[in-house]
Structures are given as structure tokens and as C-alpha cells.
Amino acid sequence: MDQYLRLLLLIPLGFLAGGYGALIGAGGGFVLAPALLLLYPAEAPETITSISLAVVFFNALSGTLAYARSKRIDYKSGAIFAAATVPGAIAGAIATTSVSRSKFNLVFGFLLIAVAIFLALNPGKKGAVRVAQASLDAPSISKLNAPTLLAGVILSTIFGFISSFFGIGGGFLYVPALVYLLRFPIHIATATSLFVLTITAFTGSATHIAAGLFHHGIRRAIALSIGAILGAQVGAWLSHRLHGNWIIRSLAIALGLVGLRLVGMSLG
């Protein structure tokens, strides 16, 4: 009975991670993976990452469906970038068991902190605010010239690897990249990021399953996914009512906290 109660308590955690992940287009894995590492200190890292990535898939899928109804997804760009994530996602899932988790947590934690500081200091620079406030009904949401396309493809492959390896989803990197580098409107970036993340997380999860890394976490993944699916709908609904600047600032806060958590776990 106690075991089933613990599973039920995972549903609110999935809801919170899924709601916030859908709000900022990050899939919620960056919140969920550190939480699972704290809740299950005896579990192997590959078990934690496989659970988290499976939940990210259902969260991203739910959020994508919600954003699709509001016509905020740039499918052309998203399809290209999603295809580019596949090789990286497969490689990241395979590499999970072969590299020291603590060393990568330390490096990645500092990277997240650096990105958080950049976003916190630059939410309105380089035209980001004007772009974020652009009309969502613009006839051409993105114009992919050759350099932009190449940059997006290269970044997508890298983000795909990070997503599968750490089990935290690549959306927390995609949103800043889409906004600051590729000049997407913020609300289009969050929606398109979730669309790409659906494909990335599915690829990584399928690889985890094929490699036999997922069988210990199925029930926990189901409980978390139930909450994440519901939370994604709430997060997508809230995104219509929050200013683009606040989405960027909330992302900066989240990345900073997660970065500090990863560094703390590595040093501890």
C-alpha cells in the first residue's frame, strides 16, 4: 500500500514539472530529473534519465497539442530541427551509462548558471522584446535562410544529445536559441520548442527501451506522466496570459536554480 501511495504522490510532481515545462517550452525535464535524483538516491543515473525522458515525451506531446489548437507552432522549422535531433538523441541515450554522471553534472550545472545569467541580464536586448511582442498572426513566422538553417540543424543535433544523455529535455536550450539566435517570437519559440522536443524525447525514450534501461521505471513514469499531461494543458493556457518578458525571466530563474542544484549534487 505504501508503494502505491508513493506512486500517487508522484502525480503532483509531474503536474508541476509539466505545467512549468509547457509554459516555457522546456518539457519539464529540467525540473523533474533533479527531483528524481533527490527522491531516489540509490537509483542508477540511467534509470532516472529514462524515467524523466519518458515523462518529457508525454508532457511535450500534451503541450504540443494544446499549442497546435492556438496555431503557434512553426511546423516547417520544427520538422527540420526535429529531424536533426534524432542522431544526437540516439547517441545521448547510448552514452548514458558510459560517462561519470557527477562530472557532467558539474560542467552542465555551470553551463546552466551561465545561460541563466545571460537571460536575466538581457531579456530586452537585441530586439528580443520587440520580437516577443510581434503579432502571432504574422504571415511568415520564420524565414530560414541558409546560415540560419545550418545553425539550427547543428544546434538541434547537440541539443538532442544533451536531452537524451541528461534526461532533462532540450527545450531549456531551444527556447533561448530560437529567440536570441534565430529571432523567433517568444510565444512561437515555446510552442515550436515543445513540438521539436516531442520527437527528441520519443527518440531518446525508444533508445532507452531498446537498450533495456527503462524496465525499472515504468510505473513511476506512468504516474509522473499523468500529472505532466494535465500540467501541460494548464501551462499552455497560462502562456497566453503572461508577457513574453516574464517567460524569459522565469526561464532564467529556473535554469539558475537547476544549475545550482546540479553543482551542489556533484560537489556533495
Side-chain angles (χ1 to χ4, degrees):
M1 183 66 179
D2 184 52
Q3 181 181 8
Y4 289 107
L5 179 60
R6 287 198 297 268
L7 287 175
L8 288 176
L9 291 177
L10 291 177
I11 295 178
L13 174 60
F15 181 86
L16 293 174
Y20 195 73
L23 172 64
I24 63 177
F30 67 94
V31 174
L32 186 59
L36 291 176
L37 287 170
L38 293 175
L39 288 173
Y40 303 104
E43 288 284 9
E46 56 267 26
T47 300
I48 297 298
T49 56
S50 63
I51 293 172
S52 179
L53 202 59
V55 177
V56 168
F57 165 70
F58 286 107
N59 175 218
L61 178 61
S62 178
T64 296
L65 294 175
Y67 283 128
R69 291 194 294 269
S70 58
K71 304 185 187 304
R72 288 167 54 179
I73 300 173
D74 185 342
Y75 290 103
K76 176 185 175 182
S77 303
I80 295 173
F81 297 154
T85 67
V86 171
I90 294 174
I94 294 173
T96 304
T97 60
S98 62
V99 182
S100 169
R101 180 76 182 195
S102 61
K103 292 180 180 178
F104 269 80
N105 276 354
L106 184 63
V107 174
F108 200 62
F110 281 123
L111 173 63
L112 291 181
I113 293 171
V115 174
I117 292 173
F118 170 79
L119 292 178
L121 296 177
N122 298 274
K125 293 185 178 181
K126 298 183 180 180
V129 173
R130 293 191 299 274
V131 174
Q133 294 173 337
S135 171
L136 299 181
D137 298 323
S140 178
I141 294 173
S142 67
K143 297 179 180 179
L144 291 177
N145 53 35
T148 299
L149 178 61
L150 179 60
V153 168
I154 293 174
L155 287 174
S156 295
T157 303
I158 296 172
F159 294 167
F161 179 89
I162 293 173
S163 173
S164 286
F165 184 81
F166 290 99
I168 55 180
F172 68 98
L173 295 171
Y174 253 115
V175 174
L178 290 174
V179 172
Y180 287 100
L181 299 180
L182 305 184
R183 308 304 296 273
F184 275 54
I186 180 62
H187 293 292
I188 299 301
T190 54
T192 304
S193 171
L194 278 183
F195 172 70
V196 174
L197 189 54
T198 301
I199 307 300
T200 308
F202 175 81
T203 302
S205 293
T207 305
H208 279 137
I209 293 172
L213 303 176
F214 185 55
H215 58 282
H216 291 302
I218 294 177
R219 288 185 295 181
R220 282 172 287 181
I222 291 174
L224 289 163
S225 295
I226 292 173
I229 290 171
L230 298 174
Q233 298 297 312
V234 175
W237 178 80
L238 285 175
S239 70
H240 292 280
R241 290 154 177 80
L242 294 179
H243 192 277
N245 273 358
W246 287 109
I247 295 178
I248 288 291
R249 288 192 177 100
S250 66
L251 177 59
I253 294 171
L255 292 183
L257 292 176
V258 174
L260 290 172
R261 180 71 260 176
L262 289 174
V263 170
M265 288 189 297
S266 298
L267 298 178

